[in-house]
Structures are given as C-alpha cells and as structure tokens.
Amino acid sequence: MNHLPGDISEFTSVEQARAFDLLISPYSVTPDEARAGTEEQFDWPFDWDDPATRPCPTVFYVTPKGFARLSADLEELSDTAGRLHSFVRRSDVTEHEVVRFIERRILDSPLLTPDSAHSIGR
C-alpha cells in the first residue's frame, strides 16, 4: 500500500478509495486470482497516536468466482438475518457458504486480532 498519498484526505482515485476501504475494515474479502486462498495483514500506513491500538487490517483473498458466490450468498442471507434486530441461530445458517467461509477462513485465521478472538470466547 505504499502507492497511497501521505494523508488520507489526499485520496482521489478509485483505486485509492478501494485501498481506503480495506484499510478501515478490520477484515475484508476481495477477489484476486493470484492470491486466492491466502490472507495478508497490512501495517497502518499513517500516523497513529497509540501503537498498541493502531489498526492492522487483514485481507482474505478468494477467486473472482468464489467472491461472486460469497456475495450472492451474503445477499440471500441478508434477507434472513440482515435486519437490525434479527435473531438467527448459527445452526439455522450453517448451510450458507459465507457463514462457513467466516468460520473457517476468518475466525480460524492466525491473523484474528486478540480483541476479535476475545469477543468470540477464545
């Protein structure tokens, strides 16, 4: 991400906006045929007052076809569990590919942050 401007306020291109989205999300999934099946954690490229709380965004790469399937499945799942006060049991949604992806790739990742691990009881 060393192609970014020195200040967030200087982001102007579509590519920089996409990079910004990745940087501000703790976990992202993005299509990349060459990197599919891998994950990468980025160092926060801007000044941050407290190094202990500096973001370390993680990107999980999937194939473009896999991304399309996950996106479609997430859209379908949002009809069931996408409302503000939705209550859905895990056992009711495990048939969804996106749920299995989250469990296997994100929650089992060695790059899961300590805060995220703690929030799920690990």
Side-chain angles (χ1 to χ4, degrees):
M1 296 228 178
N2 43 357
H3 64 282
L4 299 176
D7 188 280
I8 293 172
S9 65
E10 298 172 1
F11 282 40
T12 57
S13 72
V14 171
E15 292 79 20
Q16 290 168 342
R18 288 181 182 145
F20 180 73
D21 282 343
L22 294 176
L23 285 171
I24 62 170
S25 301
Y27 306 102
S28 300
V29 178
T30 193
D32 187 319
E33 191 73 50
R35 296 179 188 172
T38 67
E39 53 206 50
E40 181 175 12
Q41 194 166 56
F42 296 98
D43 290 326
W44 185 255
F46 306 103
D47 290 336
W48 196 266
D49 292 336
D50 181 6
T53 64
R54 181 178 25 239
C56 289
T58 302
V59 178
F60 295 84
Y61 298 103
V62 296
T63 64
K65 286 182 181 179
F67 188 81
R69 283 194 322 272
L70 290 170
S71 295
D73 192 46
L74 185 59
E75 181 74 26
E76 182 182 324
L77 183 61
S78 72
D79 292 339
T80 305
R83 291 168 196 59
L84 180 60
H85 300 290
S86 296
F87 178 80
V88 177
R89 295 185 185 278
R90 179 190 165 277
S91 59
D92 295 336
V93 295
T94 54
E95 76 279 0
H96 285 273
E97 183 178 6
V98 71
V99 171
R100 292 190 308 271
F101 178 88
I102 291 168
E103 291 182 340
R104 293 181 186 143
R105 288 282 307 277
I106 298 174
L107 298 181
D108 286 345
S109 171
L111 299 179
L112 190 69
T113 67
D115 285 346
S116 293
H118 178 74
S119 72
I120 60 170
R122 292 188 185 160

